[in-house]
Amino acid sequence: MFLLTMALDHEPYDAEKHLILGTSESAETLAKLEHEWYTNDEPHTAAIYASRAVFPYLLNGNLRSANKAFLIFTSRLSSSNPSIPLQDVSSSSIDARVFPALPLLNFISMLLLTIQRGSADLFKQLTSHYASQIQEVGIWDDFLAQIGEQYFSIKIPRQGNPLLDMMGSMLFGGGQGGTGGRIPQSRGSSKKVEAPPANPELD
């Protein structure tokens, strides 16, 4: 309770970092904290605040706390905003809450389920399906790339430096026979080739 009060009044980001590395009860406190901040923002931003309670736990390998934080956040969301459409989906393989008006909140829910199944193909399909909405957020790309590498062994592309690549090509050959396109010069001194002596006159 002290951390929640401190975060609301003074140092929210410090409180977030402390809660991510805190105890098993920290997920509940962080979810309540993010929901409290959300109530001062626009309704459609719910997924942004939920992600701040979920993604850091995922990157720390704490799937249990990530699920707990998401469940608490969405429970408080539905109870405090009864006007937001909500559907409960239940089957033999899945139990989830679907928010038709908040697609990115559904994305986080499906992401957690996909991580539990450990399917890289499902992860790729999921991120592709929500690609346009994710792009609108603009701050999730790095998080999702790290999640893809950590949980699904999808390597993050390493960007090269075009300038260094070009300089390396010039200095070390770059397919030009190791001479950078220059014609190698002979180290020996050039020798003048003399014409053979004329045939001696016959007596």
Side-chain angles (χ1 to χ4, degrees):
M1 186 64 183
F2 170 74
L3 277 173
L4 182 58
T5 303
M6 179 188 72
L8 293 175
D9 294 340
H10 301 290
E11 301 293 341
Y13 295 108
D14 287 343
E16 277 184 323
K17 289 187 289 185
H18 180 86
L19 290 167
I20 293 301
L21 302 174
T23 67
S24 59
E25 302 301 321
S26 298
E28 180 177 358
T29 304
L30 181 57
K32 291 178 179 179
L33 171 64
E34 298 295 350
H35 180 266
E36 186 66 28
W37 284 334
Y38 162 69
T39 59
N40 297 314
D41 209 332
E42 297 296 326
H44 69 274
T45 62
I48 303 298
Y49 291 91
S51 71
R52 289 170 60 168
V54 173
F55 288 177
Y57 282 125
L58 291 179
L59 295 179
N60 279 342
N62 193 342
L63 180 58
R64 181 177 181 179
S65 289
N67 276 293
K68 182 177 181 179
F70 184 73
L71 177 61
I72 293 172
F73 183 94
T74 53
S75 295
R76 293 177 73 88
L77 175 67
S78 58
S79 62
S80 62
N81 298 75
S83 61
I84 295 179
L86 172 64
Q87 299 174 358
D88 288 320
V89 177
S90 181
S91 68
S92 58
S93 59
I94 184 175
D95 289 305
R97 291 176 173 179
V98 176
F99 295 85
L102 301 170
L104 284 178
L105 207 58
N106 300 326
F107 168 79
I108 297 175
S109 177
M110 295 301 296
L111 175 64
L112 292 168
L113 291 171
T114 301
I115 290 174
Q116 291 178 39
R117 295 187 178 184
S119 172
D121 288 338
L122 284 178
F123 176 75
K124 292 176 182 178
Q125 293 175 21
L126 181 65
T127 52
S128 176
H129 181 76
Y130 287 94
S132 59
Q133 291 96 332
I134 292 172
Q135 187 175 11
E136 290 178 3
V137 175
I139 58 175
W140 283 9
D141 292 339
D142 289 341
F143 287 111
L144 294 176
Q146 293 179 57
I147 288 171
E149 185 171 68
Q150 182 173 339
Y151 290 95
F152 305 105
S153 300
I154 300 174
K155 296 299 182 182
I156 299 175
R158 308 299 179 188
Q159 295 183 350
N161 188 315
L163 178 59
L164 291 180
D165 292 343
M166 181 179 68
M167 292 178 65
S169 177
M170 294 173 63
L171 294 174
F172 301 108
Q176 297 292 333
T179 62
R182 298 187 301 272
I183 299 175
Q185 299 293 327
S186 173
R187 293 184 179 180
S189 59
S190 60
K191 295 182 179 180
K192 184 177 180 180
V193 178
E194 298 180 354
N199 290 333
E201 293 182 358
L202 296 176
D203 292 336

